[in-house]
């Protein structure tokens, strides 16, 4: 079974530019999560999708961050415009269902550097 | 809001010895899950072990076991017979029960070094 795929693995941009990250969850997983992991900290949830609907986006900075999950499979996270403090690793995770016993499987992450 | 605290930014242990990583959490919920995740350098995060709060018995997975003290809100991870491949960042995480409440709340992490 293929794992969670993310691209690109690394991205360097200048502040005020825009950037997009892509995630392909494990086949058949209905729930998809985007986490932000700032250096030296644990991951923090940005947004959670159940199929193509948003379950939780309470910690997503909506003035600059957006995410979508068309057709309930792949997802894209966008930042526009980027700030220096957005430098972090962006982790995508998926689980089969949004149940309490489900394990979240993480992708390798995209490391973003904003200069 | 729930919080998770890992007070040991770094730990080291000799190969084949035992090490314990600490984690405390704060919640007003009575039912929840606790997890330990491992994040090797430049590799993806994987689940090490999970504990359901309603279970009194401590979870074990091969060389990994937990000491869950619900009243003290403490959840430590013990790694026995440490191996070089155990070197990684370890994150303690909390997840409350309930529909649509599957987000993980992570601690700051503990970097574990294994000395040969």
């Amino acid at each position: 079974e293929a794992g969670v795929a993310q691209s690109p693995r690394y991205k360097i941009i200048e502040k005020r530019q825009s950037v997009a990250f892509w995630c392909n969850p494990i086949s058949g997983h209905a729930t998809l999560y985007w986490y932000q992991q700032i250096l030296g900290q644990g991951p923090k949830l940005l947004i959670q999708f159940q199929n193509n609907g948003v379950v939780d986006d309470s910690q997503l900075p909506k003035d600059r961050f957006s995410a979508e999950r068309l057709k309930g499979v792949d997802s894209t996270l966008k930042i526009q415009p980027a700030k220096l403090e957005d430098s972090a690793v962006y982790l995508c995770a998926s689980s089969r269902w949004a149940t309490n016993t489900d394990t979240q499987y993480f992708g390798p992450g995209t490391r973003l550097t904003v200069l | 809001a729930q919080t998770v605290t890992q007070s040991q930014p770094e730990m080291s242990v000799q190969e084949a010895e035992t090490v314990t990583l600490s984690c405390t959490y704060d919640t007003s919920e009575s039912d929840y899950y606790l997890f330990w995740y491992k994040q090797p350098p430049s590799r993806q995060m994987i689940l090490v072990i999970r504990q359901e709060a309603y279970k009194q018995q401590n979870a074990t997975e091969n060389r990994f076991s937990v000491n869950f003290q619900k009243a003290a809100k403490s959840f430590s991870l013990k790694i026995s017979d440490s191996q070089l491949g155990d070197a990684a960042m370890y994150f303690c995480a909390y997840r409350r029960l309930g529909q649509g409440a599957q987000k993980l709340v992570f601690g700051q992490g503990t970097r574990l070094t294994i000395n040969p």
Side-chain angles (χ1 to χ4, degrees):
Chain A
E1 179 180 71
V4 177
Q6 291 188 247
S7 67
R9 292 295 310 277
Y10 305 91
K11 190 72 177 179
I12 300 174
I13 62 172
E14 296 192 349
K15 60 183 179 183
R16 292 188 290 273
Q17 287 187 325
S18 61
V19 65
F21 314 127
W22 173 82
C23 173
N24 180 239
I26 293 173
S27 177
H29 280 197
T31 309
L32 185 146
Y33 313 78
W34 282 103
Y35 289 87
Q36 179 192 55
Q37 185 177 14
I38 293 173
L39 184 64
Q41 299 181 18
K44 179 186 77 172
L45 181 75
L46 292 175
I47 189 167
Q48 174 186 342
F49 291 95
Q50 179 70 18
N51 295 308
N52 59 352
V54 175
V55 175
D56 184 352
D57 63 355
S58 57
Q59 297 189 93
L60 185 74
K62 298 181 185 64
D63 58 334
R64 298 184 300 105
F65 286 66
S66 64
E68 61 182 7
R69 190 182 185 199
L70 299 176
K71 300 180 181 178
V73 182
D74 293 4
S75 178
T76 302
L77 177 69
K78 297 180 181 178
I79 308 175
Q80 181 179 9
K83 292 185 175 181
L84 297 177
E85 58 261 36
D86 298 332
S87 294
V89 176
Y90 291 85
L91 298 170
C92 180
S94 71
S95 61
R96 183 169 298 278
W97 298 108
T99 63
N100 297 313
T101 56
D102 267 359
T103 297
Q104 292 184 26
Y105 296 88
F106 285 80
T110 296
R111 183 178 298 277
L112 173 67
T113 302
V114 182
L115 302 176
Chain B
Q2 295 84 15
T3 59
V4 177
T5 302
Q6 294 177 248
S7 59
Q8 306 155 314
E10 297 184 358
M11 292 282 285
S12 63
V13 64
Q14 291 295 124
E15 192 176 3
E17 295 191 344
T18 296
V19 64
T20 298
L21 309 184
S22 300
C23 172
T24 59
Y25 58 95
D26 186 29
T27 183
S28 58
E29 306 280 343
S30 59
D31 289 324
Y32 46 86
Y33 285 92
L34 296 166
F35 305 82
W36 280 98
Y37 276 85
K38 170 185 177 181
Q39 189 177 41
S42 301
R43 294 182 62 187
Q44 53 214 77
M45 195 171 310
I46 58 173
L47 177 66
V48 174
I49 198 165
R50 174 173 64 191
Q51 174 79 43
E52 292 87 345
Y54 63 86
K55 290 186 178 179
Q56 293 186 345
Q57 187 173 7
N58 290 322
T60 62
E61 287 287 343
N62 300 313
R63 299 182 295 107
F64 298 86
S65 61
V66 298
N67 184 3
F68 173 48
Q69 301 290 327
K70 190 173 184 179
K73 296 181 181 176
S74 170
F75 182 61
S76 61
L77 174 69
K78 185 172 79 171
I79 306 174
S80 303
D81 185 25
S82 298
Q83 301 176 0
L84 295 178
D86 295 334
M89 284 290 291
Y90 285 81
F91 291 96
C92 178
Y94 166 99
R95 188 174 78 194
R96 70 177 181 89
L97 300 186
Q99 195 68 20
Q102 288 72 40
K103 77 175 183 182
L104 293 166
V105 178
F106 287 89
Q108 305 93 318
T110 297
R111 183 177 302 280
L112 178 64
T113 301
I114 312 296
N115 300 312

